[in-house]
Amino acid sequence: MSDKFVFDKTSPDADKYTEVDKFLQLTERFCKKGIGSIADKVVSKFGRKNHSKPMSALKRAVNIIGADGIEAVYDDLMHCTRVDRSDIYIGAVYLFRQGNFMCRLKDIKKCYVYNSDNTEDIAYFCYVDISDETCDETFELRSLSVLKVQRQLQFDEIRKLIGIGEQE
């Protein structure tokens, strides 16, 4: 357990850290043996300016939990709504992508449809631009239907849940 993304194993909130970690799979993806379990060690180990993009998911989670508290994050995760047929969960304050990342809803600056015709088939995705204390990034939330009406319904559902109005 010494390599877990648990800020303090002796904390009364250790189980909450463990649940958030299990959902986001931070330890599984980022923490190798010997890194330790104290948040400061995780931040100092991965919190460099030139960190790779995948590391920003870890740094963002550490920053959000450090600023907002594990109780707020855990409570929102336990009461969030799953976006139909996706791994996206949206709470009152946070957006979680299972096994991937989390962010504050207020930090989402733009939500849009991106079409990729780089493959043999045209594919559509819902993306969000996030700007917070960690960095500015673009994340893919989910793939969307190729059928225009269905794609628009899926996109509108996500926008409604994250509280963003009409955007293209």
Side-chain angles (χ1 to χ4, degrees):
M1 184 110 139
S2 65
D3 60 336
K4 296 289 184 196
F5 175 71
V6 174
F7 288 14
D8 181 0
K9 294 187 295 189
T10 62
S11 164
D13 292 325
D15 59 331
K16 293 175 182 163
Y17 289 112
T18 301
E19 285 301 313
V20 171
D21 179 34
K22 195 183 322 178
F23 187 83
L24 296 174
Q25 298 174 355
L26 296 171
T27 298
E28 185 179 316
R29 293 184 296 141
F30 300 114
C31 298
K32 305 293 182 214
K33 288 194 184 270
I35 287 178
S37 60
I38 307 302
D40 293 338
K41 288 183 183 176
V42 174
V43 171
S44 67
K45 201 76 163 167
F46 297 116
R48 296 184 214 102
K49 278 192 175 205
N50 62 349
H51 65 275
S52 64
K53 265 197 166 195
M55 291 298 181
S56 67
L58 174 63
K59 187 175 180 194
R60 180 169 283 108
V62 169
N63 289 344
I64 290 171
I65 291 169
D68 300 357
I70 188 60
E71 186 68 39
V73 173
Y74 176 81
D75 187 55
D76 208 45
L77 179 61
M78 294 299 111
H79 296 95
C80 59
T81 302
R82 181 174 177 251
V83 174
D84 200 28
R85 287 183 250 144
S86 76
D87 57 357
I88 303 300
Y89 294 77
I90 301 174
V93 180
Y94 307 101
L95 179 145
F96 303 92
R97 182 163 182 202
Q98 188 172 18
N100 202 311
F101 74 95
M102 66 174 290
C103 69
R104 293 182 193 96
L105 293 174
K106 70 177 185 156
D107 293 333
I108 297 174
K109 304 306 177 199
K110 185 177 180 184
C111 180
Y112 53 95
V113 174
Y114 172 77
N115 66 323
S116 171
D117 52 8
N118 296 344
T119 61
E120 292 178 13
D121 298 320
I122 294 178
Y124 295 91
F125 303 92
C126 179
Y127 275 84
V128 290
D129 291 342
I130 298 169
S131 180
D132 62 11
E133 69 272 20
T134 305
C135 61
D136 296 341
E137 275 188 281
T138 299
F139 287 105
E140 176 188 323
L141 291 186
R142 68 168 290 187
S143 60
L144 300 171
S145 174
V146 293
L147 302 173
K148 187 174 183 175
V149 173
Q150 188 68 23
R151 179 174 59 248
Q152 190 62 46
L153 290 172
Q154 291 168 344
F155 182 61
D156 289 344
E157 175 191 16
I158 293 170
R159 280 196 325 218
K160 179 182 173 192
L161 288 170
I162 62 177
I164 290 188
E166 297 278 331
Q167 293 179 357
E168 286 298 321

